[in-house]
Amino acid sequence: MRKPIRIGLIGCGGIVQKTHARAYLSLADTVKVTAMADVVTENMEKVGEQFAVPKHNRFTDYRNMLAQADIDAVTIATPHSLHAEQVIESAKAGVAIISEKPMATTLKEADSIVETINSNGVAYSVVHNYIYTAGMQKAISLLPEIGKPHFGCSTGMGLKPTDFSADHSTPAYAWRASKTKGGGCVSDTSYHEIYAVTTLMQSPVRYVEARVKTMCFDIDVDDIAMLLCEHENGAITTVSGAWCVPATDFGWCEIHAENGSLRVRHRYNVRDALRRYTRAEGWKQLALTNLDEEGLKDASGHIAYFTATLNALAADKPMPISAENAYQNLAIIDAARKATTERRAIEVR
């Protein structure tokens, strides 16, 4: 029986407490949280007690954890602007890396990440969790049946607090509304919609036209994003996101192809997440069977993502979400911002 992967947490905030922790607990035979680092002592102590991490393996500086703790891998769940530095330092320490999205805030940072993980030969993955929801996984399995896609769309709408300041909002909302922290609607919220619809379209994005703007809130980052993407196979997709529009109920991500359509919903009953359209039957809900108790609770796909990623790591196999996957998403976001400024279609490198 192989030993569990010893993992160190860089960042112990809300995303770790609400979702990552659930995944680690469900994978007790595969992973063991043995160390952690967070500048917010309260968060570190809360997660440390949950996983019985010894006091001497709780650090306020992640670099001390990398130097002193016996770990095989790290997860990084910190504000976006810290990802590049923390990934690079972790790669130099020779540990495998699972980073929350996005991989970085600029393509220059992303280039440095790719160079460092390659030169140090470490495994690296970015959390694209919604690909691993039951609805998305079933939709992916049906792609050969519906044939060549020609149009797709994905939408992520919601209402954020009207006051993002640290005095009136949660810390997570406060930093997401900060340019220096790498916040903004397109990089924080629409990020998920971009990789989801791109996955279903089965073709990389080649050109992007967009409007990424600040329309409603007194913040220095965007609160609305609208992208029009042309894929290498000629298909078209739209991605829309907003922090100042009530959540819509019609769907989340859908594609339309020569033999029908697929519509995936999330944040709903997991069993009711997928619908399929054919000319013969119209829209029809598809049953998602063989879901165990954990699967029914995994509306965000985090448990399934960590299962696939940690199992690949334990077996010394390629990470299911690679640096190339994450880089493409960041390149699309970068192109969307340029398209807004230059008022033209931008080619994605």
Side-chain angles (χ1 to χ4, degrees):
M1 183 177 178
R2 66 190 181 200
K3 295 181 179 179
I5 297 168
R6 300 169 299 178
I7 201 162
L9 311 182
I10 301 178
C12 300
I15 189 69
V16 173
Q17 295 171 27
K18 295 175 183 177
T19 58
H20 291 199
R22 208 169 71 246
Y24 303 145
L25 291 170
S26 72
L27 297 168
D29 294 335
T30 305
V31 62
K32 180 176 177 60
V33 178
T34 58
M36 55 187 54
D38 199 311
V39 295
V40 181
T41 305
E42 181 182 354
N43 286 338
M44 182 168 56
E45 295 304 318
K46 183 176 181 178
V47 179
E49 294 304 310
Q50 184 178 12
F51 289 98
V53 174
K55 294 286 187 180
H56 67 270
N57 269 1
R58 304 179 191 183
F59 304 87
T60 54
D61 190 324
Y62 77 94
R63 288 163 291 198
N64 292 336
M65 182 187 75
L66 292 172
Q68 299 174 32
D70 292 326
I71 53 178
D72 306 306
V74 296
T75 58
I76 295 173
T78 55
H80 300 165
S81 58
L82 301 177
H83 290 182
E85 172 199 306
Q86 292 168 344
V87 168
I88 288 170
E89 291 299 316
S90 298
K92 290 178 180 178
V95 297
I97 302 157
I98 302 171
S99 173
E100 264 295 342
K101 56 83 180 169
M103 67 185 299
T105 58
T106 67
L107 292 179
K108 183 177 180 181
E109 289 180 343
D111 289 333
S112 297
I113 286 175
V114 172
E115 180 182 355
T116 307
I117 62 174
N118 287 340
S119 62
N120 287 275
V122 298
Y124 170 77
S125 181
V126 175
V127 181
H128 286 189
N129 50 288
Y130 282 115
I131 289 177
Y132 287 87
T133 63
M136 276 292 289
Q137 286 291 294
K138 181 64 174 178
I140 290 169
S141 75
L142 294 173
L143 293 178
E145 296 182 22
I146 68 168
K148 182 181 178 181
H150 49 261
F151 176 70
C153 62
S154 54
T155 304
M157 301 294 181
L159 294 173
K160 298 289 189 183
T162 55
D163 189 341
F164 281 83
S165 68
D167 292 336
H168 295 88
S169 184
T170 66
Y173 282 148
W175 73 253
R176 282 175 167 83
S178 168
K179 186 176 183 179
T180 60
K181 297 291 186 181
C185 175
V186 71
S187 60
D188 184 58
T189 304
S190 297
Y191 186 98
H192 295 291
E193 281 69 54
I194 293 169
Y195 71 64
V197 74
T198 302
T199 297
L200 293 182
M201 294 299 287
Q202 307 171 79
S203 177
V205 171
R206 181 71 181 276
Y207 296 99
V208 176
E209 298 183 49
R211 293 294 182 267
V212 179
K213 306 180 71 175
T214 308
M215 294 287 290
C216 297
F217 296 123
D218 184 19
I219 53 179
D220 65 356
V221 293
D222 49 283
D223 54 24
I224 285 181
M226 178 68 75
L227 284 64
L228 173 63
C229 304
E230 181 179 344
H231 295 253
E232 287 187 359
N233 65 2
I236 299 295
T237 56
T238 63
V239 176
S240 53
W243 287 353
C244 49
V245 176
T248 55
D249 192 41
F250 68 87
W252 169 58
C253 181
E254 61 186 64
I255 64 164
H256 305 271
E258 56 186 346
N259 298 322
S261 305
L262 297 171
R263 175 178 292 164
V264 186
R265 306 167 83 198
H266 73 89
R267 296 177 185 153
Y268 294 91
N269 186 319
V270 174
R271 291 192 187 277
D272 301 336
L274 180 62
R275 294 183 179 184
R276 179 176 180 173
Y277 175 88
T278 61
R279 287 184 179 272
E281 297 183 296
W283 284 105
K284 182 179 179 181
Q285 185 170 302
L286 298 184
L288 299 177
T289 57
N290 301 321
L291 290 172
D292 57 18
E293 185 176 348
E294 289 293 346
L296 289 171
K297 295 178 182 177
D298 194 21
S300 67
H302 277 94
I303 293 176
Y305 165 81
F306 276 103
T307 299
T309 301
L310 292 168
N311 284 340
L313 186 60
D316 197 26
K317 293 182 178 180
M319 296 291 95
I321 302 299
S322 66
E324 289 77 12
N325 299 139
Y327 195 102
Q328 185 193 31
N329 232 58
L330 189 62
I332 293 169
I333 291 169
D334 181 75
R337 291 195 170 112
K338 287 182 180 177
T340 300
T341 302
E342 300 180 21
R343 293 294 196 270
R344 65 181 180 90
I346 303 295
E347 186 171 6
V348 178
R349 56 181 264 205

